[in-house]
Amino acid sequence: MSRSGRSLVHLAFLAGIVCAPALHAAEKAISEAEQKVFLDDHLRGVAAPTVVRYQFKKAGTLDKNFDDAVMLTIKPNGHATRTVEVSYLTGEHKVTLPVVEDAKANPVILYFLEQDVREMHRRLGGSESYFRKRIRLAMAESADVHPVPVVVNGKHIAASEVVIRPFVNDPMKAKLGLFENKSYAFTFSDQVPGGVVQLRSRVTADAAAGAETAAKDRAPLLEEILSFEKVGK
């Protein structure tokens, strides 16, 4: 298979994890949230070779807490594009997906969501594809997109945030227990190499009673955060 063929296979696989049906549905326009999360050229301006490092933290009272690392390695591929490899967590937590050829969107987003979906399945049972579908529908239909100020390595920068709560109106939410209230926030800035400032999922005891902004002030039962750390060669 040609390099371009491998690229299409890998990108189709990665997009299919969470969003391909929505992105390719002819009857619906792509939402602003889908564009920001899955389609923007997050890697624009990042020269190859480059390594982008992220910190991962899991905290809360529902599970064992841990800290780990994520590394995005961007390589030249002999064309006017890039090859991206992701080392996502370690040991029993490690997530492995195909190398992405001709990458534009940051693959770390799909790793974060795939790891999240697998954990939801482990904890609650049910179908992984169902959780992916709910996330995809929330991106397409009910996401909140807004500007936010953030501080990265001591510097104040402008960013945008996409917030979704995929299960709050889920017909099957009675089976989800506390996870009915789960929220996701995706923070982006073109002033950060790779575009991703932070990815976060959060479960609080009473998040359904208020908006995401209010939920931020509650101690989480479960929270997973991936944050930009640094970039290097």
Side-chain angles (χ1 to χ4, degrees):
M1 183 181 292
S2 69
R3 179 178 294 274
S4 61
R6 290 195 301 272
S7 173
L8 289 173
V9 168
H10 291 167
L11 288 175
F13 174 83
L14 288 170
I17 291 174
V18 291
C19 63
L23 294 180
H24 300 293
E27 69 276 9
K28 286 189 176 181
I30 294 169
S31 72
E32 182 182 8
E34 288 174 303
Q35 180 67 44
K36 284 184 175 294
V37 175
F38 299 118
L39 296 180
D40 275 358
D41 188 357
H42 305 123
L43 303 179
R44 180 180 63 253
V46 181
T50 298
V51 175
V52 185
R53 299 180 185 275
Y54 302 90
Q55 299 172 333
F56 183 93
K57 183 178 184 64
K58 183 173 184 177
T61 59
L62 290 182
D63 212 341
K64 183 179 179 180
N65 298 346
F66 68 90
D67 295 334
D68 210 330
V70 173
M71 185 169 65
L72 189 78
T73 302
I74 304 168
K75 302 178 179 180
N77 59 13
H79 299 260
T81 55
R82 5 167 149 74
T83 296
V84 179
E85 297 178 359
V86 181
S87 174
Y88 197 90
L89 308 184
T90 58
E92 63 180 320
H93 307 294
K94 186 175 180 63
V95 177
T96 302
L97 295 172
V99 170
V100 182
E101 301 281 5
D102 306 330
K104 291 187 177 181
N106 191 331
V108 78
I109 302 162
L110 295 171
Y111 277 77
F112 179 85
L113 289 172
E114 178 63 7
Q115 188 259 348
D116 179 87
V117 163
R118 293 178 186 181
E119 281 296 295
M120 291 280 285
H121 170 72
R122 178 187 69 83
R123 185 181 296 275
L124 300 174
S127 167
E128 291 182 7
S129 63
Y130 186 81
F131 299 129
R132 295 181 185 118
K133 177 182 177 182
R134 295 304 308 178
I135 292 170
R136 187 258 303 173
L137 288 175
M139 286 288 181
E141 298 177 356
S142 60
D144 174 25
V145 183
H146 54 269
V148 291
V150 296
V151 178
V152 178
N153 295 332
K155 181 181 178 181
H156 292 264
I157 62 175
S160 60
E161 187 174 67
V162 177
V163 177
I164 58 171
R165 296 176 64 209
F167 310 111
V168 68
N169 294 316
D170 189 342
M172 305 293 290
K173 66 183 182 180
K175 297 183 178 181
L176 299 178
L178 293 170
F179 286 80
E180 169 195 343
N181 305 322
K182 190 171 188 177
S183 64
Y184 299 76
F186 308 80
T187 307
F188 300 97
S189 175
D190 59 9
Q191 298 181 56
V192 169
V196 172
V197 178
Q198 186 181 90
L199 309 175
R200 185 184 74 246
S201 66
R202 173 179 273 234
V203 179
T204 59
D206 55 351
E212 167 67 15
T213 52
K216 288 179 181 178
D217 298 326
R218 303 185 183 102
L221 297 177
L222 185 65
E223 184 172 59
E224 296 185 343
I225 300 176
L226 180 145
S227 302
F228 172 79
E229 181 182 8
K230 61 183 179 179
V231 65
K233 299 295 183 183

